[in-house]
Amino acid sequence: MSDGEGHEPAGRLSHLKGSGEAHIVDVGAKPATARSATAEGWIEMAPPALQALRDGELEKGDALATARIAGLMAAKRTAELVPLCHPVPLTHAEVELHVETEQQRVRCRGHAETVERTGVEMEALTAVQVALLTVYDMCKALDRGMRIGGVELVAKSGGRSGTWQR
Amino acid sequence: MSDGEGHEPAGRLSHLKGSGEAHIVDVGAKPATARSATAEGWIEMAPPALQALRDGELEKGDALATARIAGLMAAKRTAELVPLCHPVPLTHAEVELHVETEQQRVRCRGHAETVERTGVEMEALTAVQVALLTVYDMCKALDRGMRIGGVELVAKSGGRSGTWQR
Amino acid sequence: MSDGEGHEPAGRLSHLKGSGEAHIVDVGAKPATARSATAEGWIEMAPPALQALRDGELEKGDALATARIAGLMAAKRTAELVPLCHPVPLTHAEVELHVETEQQRVRCRGHAETVERTGVEMEALTAVQVALLTVYDMCKALDRGMRIGGVELVAKSGGRSGTWQR
Amino acid sequence: MSDGEGHEPAGRLSHLKGSGEAHIVDVGAKPATARSATAEGWIEMAPPALQALRDGELEKGDALATARIAGLMAAKRTAELVPLCHPVPLTHAEVELHVETEQQRVRCRGHAETVERTGVEMEALTAVQVALLTVYDMCKALDRGMRIGGVELVAKSGGRSGTWQR
Amino acid sequence: MSDGEGHEPAGRLSHLKGSGEAHIVDVGAKPATARSATAEGWIEMAPPALQALRDGELEKGDALATARIAGLMAAKRTAELVPLCHPVPLTHAEVELHVETEQQRVRCRGHAETVERTGVEMEALTAVQVALLTVYDMCKALDRGMRIGGVELVAKSGGRSGTWQR
Amino acid sequence: MSDGEGHEPAGRLSHLKGSGEAHIVDVGAKPATARSATAEGWIEMAPPALQALRDGELEKGDALATARIAGLMAAKRTAELVPLCHPVPLTHAEVELHVETEQQRVRCRGHAETVERTGVEMEALTAVQVALLTVYDMCKALDRGMRIGGVELVAKSGGRSGTWQR
């Protein structure tokens, strides 16, 4: 994926493509450097569903372990899903999920790293999105009204734009 | 994917797998019937990013057209991403995106249909999630702080549980 | 994939989507019936490349056997490649390649069958396209100027539009 | 993918594999350098189909925007389709399509770049092939007899063989 | 996948393809019926690796939970991996792994079901193979010499050849 | 994939993840160096099946050529199948199969190379596993009782752990 550093200067749009045609921006001249990104999000659900998830009573099995694997695997396939993302071989990825009982939700954090010409924000976000989809799938027999929200980048480092923190 | 009808009775958990091991639930005895599902979600962003998206001024190209295609293609690959989803050949799929200027966001609606033994909620949700990820990718040069939320099922029909509307 | 029978009447365009937005057309109401399609195409190359291909002297190995497998495998993934294609489980597929010495080319024929709600023209064409790409890949060390052409549907059967022959 | 530079000297076939068994040639000793490739092709169709495509009246939606995305996404998956291609993370990709009214066809140009040990001719050609397949899919309700042709490399640069132009 | 029922009579080889060219055999005339298959296999390893796996002390995390998900996901993609397999939408899949302490190995059992024109032996075997590969990956920091063996079909049912048991 | 060098010191388990949660270990600080791996395995079958395979009399076509391609293509997709494998662009891959008449089996050897931060053992093993699955698929009409075994790493080189030979 591109971390938006392909345009000059940051904050303005270059008009390389007058016609607005979708393309994968050129990052060939950028150096391959260490980059990381962390994203978060949550899924909120009705108490019985959250209870069953916590107690390991879901018909489909362990939701958090399954979602973690799903998120990691999806991160590796980000460039297949997001059309204009550059393919980036990840050097490190983590997905964490934990139950926030008071807010009646499961929170997910995804982290990705690479040593490449472009950032890994999309990989971190994709990990979170697919992990949360997987929790939905595991719990939907008990609650169809679950809602996913708060999906956002929380930090990134590396590349010309340097470190960014929410 | 499974629409949660594999357990008996609805609302309770069968304990086929005492160990809580993840598995793809058996839907072989269910009849293949017409099923549909619709999901929604949004991505909110800073005014300059939304403005550039609306004006077709994004460096990467037309965000809405690209996101629509990305959502449709992802819907067809749902069972590759969500580990315990049944593979379901879709008979119909649509992804709509439109700008909600006042709320400073892009809203996405995904719709999927099949004639199968299990529902298509996951396909509709996956279409929305990947379409919103794609909007993020197209706009992130102008706003890293965008947030995805409100991702939820809005309606489903077909299967033993029949029609459900939020 | 859709065989274009989703619109009414054949030969005219329904305007279900006023905005011209891409979508996967609804074939849910169509019956699942036996359908087949056959497509063809060729790749022409310089005499030394064709000679090496025929003599089994290519550095990368047996071009025709490799291309045949590549075409068959691609046919099964057509709906992943062509955005608005319906996923169709094939019941039969063949790819044939043979050398046409006089025309200095390799001709490819792809055939696909299913019992579904939509046709398999795209699967037959995809098989041909990817088989020919593979021949290009195997031979390009000897000829960069190869040209692929004549890729077209030669016959289809099944569905409301019935049998069609070039 | 390999650009055929794995053999010594160029223009002759090394016989590393006496048995002619397919394999992915060794490029490990080659330096990673900037490489690019451009390919072209066209699809010709009957006047009513071309007219509907130009007027945005196709039932399936906007053919050129959809084909552009399809071509870009396929380029990233070239090594999954073409058996002996090396996987190459692209640093830049573009797909352009435009209508050639007089010749009654749509012309496609695909461009790919990387900084790797092997060239990207196959990626550029795959982008063109899948973009043209997508145009076929979008228009086939109006014309089954469309024909794809003229698919060829038009230029490449980088690697030991240097720049090549048709 | 095909369960070998495409030839007539069982036990003999029809010579539809005189040239021995690979193809996906025609199952279009066969009825869609309930089919199941179960396969098994094991991976043996050195005592320290097995101990770490059992104690949940592997650096990469929980090997059995990860392998189970990997096997289930691979089963759904069998037709992408095995060139002449028919695509088969699974209606049920399970992967079980357990430690056999005395034999110093982990045993895996994979089970798949569908209601289709062809059997699911390959899906069950693929689930086992990829689950065992995943165990290898999780444990290889402690033992490079692990060995996978005993991978075989243990039972199948459905289709013209009926029930088969090892 | 990771070659297990991510932990310190070799032979002991670091406890970076107290909870034992699956993750893709960090290899970002490791240098990209030349690495290779070779794996082997076999499939044994009844004499009539082996005879038909050798004589090119299998209904599905040439088993060894098909299995070779399948193995090579699977090696490139290892990181999609094995959840915690790092994606590794291969620079070289080979799959060899030959009949061992006396033992009534087909032996397969897979070899992979890269210039990366992590090893390619999993790629070599995946090539062997999928090639053997493909032989099973091609021959199963004649023998359902085939057994795959002896799948193991035979050599690796490169990385901190250096050369390893069985």
Side-chain angles (χ1 to χ4, degrees), chain F residues 34-125:
Chain F
R35 291 149 186 276
S36 75
T38 306
E40 281 196 2
W42 44 255
I43 181 168
E44 65 186 8
M45 60 184 75
L50 196 66
Q51 190 64 41
L53 179 148
R54 292 179 65 191
D55 295 352
E57 300 262 311
L58 294 168
E59 185 204 8
K60 287 193 167 193
D62 180 350
L64 301 191
T66 305
R68 193 182 301 121
I69 301 295
L72 291 170
M73 293 180 82
K76 293 192 276 185
R77 301 181 73 181
T78 300
E80 285 181 42
L81 296 173
V82 182
L84 307 184
C85 254
H86 295 87
V88 173
L90 298 179
T91 56
H92 183 199
E94 295 195 22
V95 171
E96 291 169 46
L97 294 117
H98 60 273
V99 176
E100 296 183 332
T101 309
E102 216 157 303
Q103 294 101 325
Q104 286 294 319
R105 61 193 190 190
V106 176
R107 176 168 286 281
C108 177
R109 174 177 278 245
H111 179 74
E113 294 181 32
T114 193
V115 184
E116 269 299 336
R117 291 177 170 77
T118 183
V120 287
E121 296 97 313
M122 296 314 302
E123 281 73 10
L125 286 161

Side-chain angles (χ1 to χ4, degrees), chain B residues 115-129:
Chain B
V115 184
E116 269 298 338
R117 292 176 171 77
T118 182
V120 286
E121 294 97 313
M122 294 315 300
E123 282 73 10
L125 285 161
T126 299
V128 169
Q129 292 275 61

